[in-house]
Amino acid sequence: MLQGCRGLIELHGMNIAHRDIKPKNFLVFKKKNIPYEAYDAKITDFGLSREFADTEAREYLMNSIGFVGTGMYVAPEMQDIKTKYKNFKAQDVYCFCIMMLTMFFGL
């Protein structure tokens, strides 16, 4: 999962918010020709991703479509239609943490 964190940091460094972090959007595969168990993790499915300007990345005014993301992985404040400003980078971090809890504890 360290690679997943690094991938998210890289995305956010380019001012891109994924907006749909969940286990199904990670590919994990075993590295070939390595004598010990080594795996790679890659973030996939950039269908809901969006590039933000520096100021937009912190606070993005939602339009009429409501929240984006997948059910249990969406932060509560993102689901609140009344809240005008959304922080999509923080949303990605929240989703990643929920994903890790789900994987570690089988929730």
Side-chain angles (χ1 to χ4, degrees):
M1 292 291 45
L2 183 59
Q3 290 177 351
C5 289
R6 289 179 180 152
L8 208 51
I9 289 169
E10 188 70 25
L11 276 176
H12 290 173
M14 294 184 291
N15 286 322
I16 297 173
H18 188 278
R19 305 197 305 172
D20 196 22
I21 297 292
K22 60 185 176 184
K24 288 183 180 180
N25 290 340
F26 277 82
L27 293 179
V28 179
F29 51 93
K30 186 177 177 183
K31 291 182 180 181
K32 295 181 179 179
N33 302 324
I34 296 185
Y36 56 90
E37 297 287 323
Y39 296 89
D40 273 332
K42 305 290 183 188
I43 300 173
T44 62
D45 190 5
F46 292 91
L48 294 177
S49 297
R50 185 169 190 272
E51 184 175 1
F52 293 93
D54 285 336
T55 54
E56 285 182 310
R58 285 186 227 105
E59 294 181 338
Y60 172 68
L61 182 61
M62 289 294 288
N63 58 22
S64 60
I65 64 167
F67 73 91
V68 294
T70 302
M72 70 179 270
Y73 299 100
V74 177
E77 65 271 14
M78 299 299 278
Q79 295 178 14
D80 185 9
I81 301 298
K82 296 176 186 174
T83 305
K84 286 185 175 183
Y85 293 99
K86 311 292 183 177
N87 184 331
F88 284 112
K89 286 184 178 181
Q91 161 69 10
D92 282 351
V93 173
Y94 177 89
C95 292
F96 189 80
C97 292
I98 295 298
M99 182 185 76
M100 287 179 33
L101 283 172
T102 303
M103 291 171 49
F104 292 145
F105 299 109
L107 301 173

